Amino acid sequence: MAERVLLEVEDLDVDYLGETKNARACNGVSFTLHRGEILGVAGESASGKSTLLNAVMRLQRPPAVIAGGAVRYHREDGTVLDLARAEESRIRPLRWVDLSIVMQSAMACLNPVLRLRSQFDDVLRAHEPQLSAAERERRGVQLLEMVGISGDALTKYPHELSGGMRQRSLIALAMACDPELVVMDEPTTAVDVVMQRQILEQILTLQEERGFAIIFVTHDLSLLLEMADRIAVMYAGRLVEVSDGEDLVEGGLHPYAEGLRSAFPTVTGPKRTFTGIPGSPPHLTSLPPGCPFAPRCAVKVDLCDRVDPPLEDLGGGRMVACHVRKAEMLATSTQEV
Ligand code: ATP
Ligand code: MG
């Protein structure tokens, strides 16, 4: 069966409006997500990952504004809605039912003065009004058990749960109405590695059972290499490389993606020195004129200081925004001919 498109993000720009200058934290981002696909988004802090997720879900808050582009959501019935432009009243019915989000900080998302029961109840009452109170209670218990938490936790306040339990409760809540797309913003960053593994396994099991698509954001590339069908690497608000995980394990094409990959130590296998990426990301209000990565790049050429490279399809499912790598790929394919 041909892969069915769920979401098409095209040329998405998001600005944080400032008094004198705007910061473009999402710059011309384009990608397509298919039904049931797991897209990982990696990049160091401040690369624009949360900004992208929020804008895709139309949850950006001032001073952020969507300055251009489209986020086309393909509904099951074949109709398409541009989430970037649609009236909020048309997007609201899709929330939880079609589109769910697990935010970066569980504590900030759960209401501290409400027991979990009320928080599950609110979502179910709003979006599945046909359920009776007893059915909502049963669904709440099932959802918590699905992520390995006893149903008794419905009677608890968020502060009575551990960090891992809070994070898993949020994941359960995101599943409450069986959505088509769940975006997850660093859902496991605040928990230890053992808990991180358990949560990931639960997410993958649920995804397999229910078939929803995931956009999973993290700065931990090694997580994505394990779970994502495709990985997008973000830098200074742009996608600089998109590939399947297998390719990235072999080596990043974009010098930044390769830098991220080699910045992670391996626990098993031979000892190797891992190198970081020198320097720090540019300020978004004063970007260099050419490639935003050029000031930190070990392989840059003159062109890189002058012209910002677009994300281009270099074949084999790999897209890269890099003059040097593009020239190398072209040279290789000419030699092969
Ligand atoms: P992290 O890994 O730390 O969560 P991130 O990749 O999610 O980082 P974002 O939170 O999307 O990064 O931030 C991207 C850029 O937007 C940063 O340069 C940040 O300073 C800027 N930014 C974020 N929120 C605001 C805001 N409310 N006002 C102005 N600039 C902002
Ligand atoms: Mg973030």
Side-chain angles (χ1 to χ4, degrees):
M1 195 179 78
E3 289 177 305
R4 286 160 62 221
V5 171
L6 181 67
L7 195 74
E8 282 172 287
V9 177
E10 192 181 331
D11 254 334
L12 186 64
D13 292 331
V14 184
D15 289 344
Y16 287 100
L17 303 179
E19 277 181 18
T20 51
K21 283 181 175 172
N22 300 338
R24 180 149 292 182
C26 209
N27 193 331
V29 171
S30 300
F31 64 87
T32 301
L33 183 74
H34 295 99
R35 284 179 192 276
E37 185 180 16
I38 304 181
L39 174 72
V41 182
E44 69 198 301
S45 197
S47 54
K49 305 180 299 294
S50 298
T51 305
L52 171 64
L53 277 200
N54 289 335
V56 162
M57 303 299 273
R58 252 284 282 281
L59 288 172
Q60 79 281 358
R61 291 281 168 271
V65 294
I66 295 182
V71 179
R72 286 187 283 274
Y73 178 65
H74 293 242
R75 303 164 84 156
E76 191 70 66
D77 65 7
T79 55
V80 180
L81 187 68
D82 182 358
L83 302 177
R85 277 169 226 284
E87 293 287 320
E88 180 56 33
S89 60
R90 296 194 63 202
I91 297 181
R92 205 170 300 129
L94 301 182
R95 298 203 189 284
W96 301 97
V97 178
D98 288 63
L99 313 166
S100 260
I101 185 164
V102 179
M103 298 270 196
Q104 195 159 0
S105 155
M107 204 49 194
C109 299
L110 291 168
N111 187 330
V113 297
L114 290 181
R115 295 178 203 275
L116 280 193
R117 172 182 289 120
S118 317
Q119 315 205 28
F120 278 77
D121 212 51
D122 279 352
V123 171
L124 290 170
R125 211 171 357 183
H127 296 284
E128 305 220 8
Q130 78 286 0
L131 296 181
S132 67
E135 284 168 330
R136 290 197 299 273
E137 173 87 12
R138 257 202 308 281
R139 177 82 70 89
V141 170
Q142 275 169 1
L143 286 163
L144 284 178
E145 286 177 348
M146 204 172 67
V147 294
I149 300 178
S150 152
D152 304 345
L154 278 183
T155 60
K156 307 270 193 231
Y157 290 98
H159 73 269
E160 296 177 290
L161 305 173
S162 73
M165 286 167 91
R166 283 197 289 264
Q167 200 60 55
R168 283 185 287 163
S169 307
L170 266 193
I171 293 169
L173 197 54
M175 305 293 156
C177 303
D178 223 352
E180 291 283 347
L181 171 64
V182 184
V183 305
M184 300 188 175
D185 195 354
E186 314 237 18
T188 59
T189 304
V191 296
D192 67 69
V193 283
V194 178
M195 177 60 68
Q196 186 173 47
R197 174 131 310 274
Q198 281 178 11
I199 294 180
L200 273 191
E201 276 166 15
Q202 277 162 354
I203 292 172
L204 290 177
T205 308
L206 287 170
Q207 194 271 343
E208 235 164 70
E209 283 167 13
R210 298 175 167 226
F212 50 85
I214 302 178
I215 306 179
F216 192 103
V217 157
T218 176
H219 56 263
D220 186 344
L221 196 55
S222 58
L223 274 189
L224 296 184
L225 292 175
E226 273 184 62
M227 67 179 294
D229 297 312
R230 272 187 311 147
I231 298 178
V233 176
M234 223 173 157
Y235 185 75
R238 296 147 166 83
L239 295 191
V240 295
E241 174 157 352
V242 182
S243 70
D244 65 30
E246 305 273 299
D247 281 335
L248 260 190
V249 176
E250 299 293 316
L253 268 186
H254 194 284
Y256 177 68
E258 177 52 17
L260 269 192
R261 191 188 73 97
S262 51
F264 281 97
T266 50
V267 177
T268 55
K271 243 187 182 177
R272 68 176 173 89
T273 39
F274 54 95
T275 41
I277 305 171
S280 46
H283 285 290
L284 296 172
T285 46
S286 52
L287 283 177
C291 170
F293 187 61
R296 305 171 75 185
C297 184
V299 300
K300 70 162 183 167
V301 293
D302 283 352
L303 181 64
C304 307
D305 287 325
R306 287 183 280 111
V307 181
D308 190 5
L311 185 69
E312 287 187 86
D313 194 340
L314 298 189
R318 245 176 150 176
M319 301 178 79
V320 180
C322 176
H323 296 302
V324 177
R325 296 299 179 235
K326 185 184 166 192
E328 286 171 2
M329 297 288 270
L330 283 177
T332 317
S333 58
T334 320
Q335 276 166 14
E336 281 168 3
V337 174

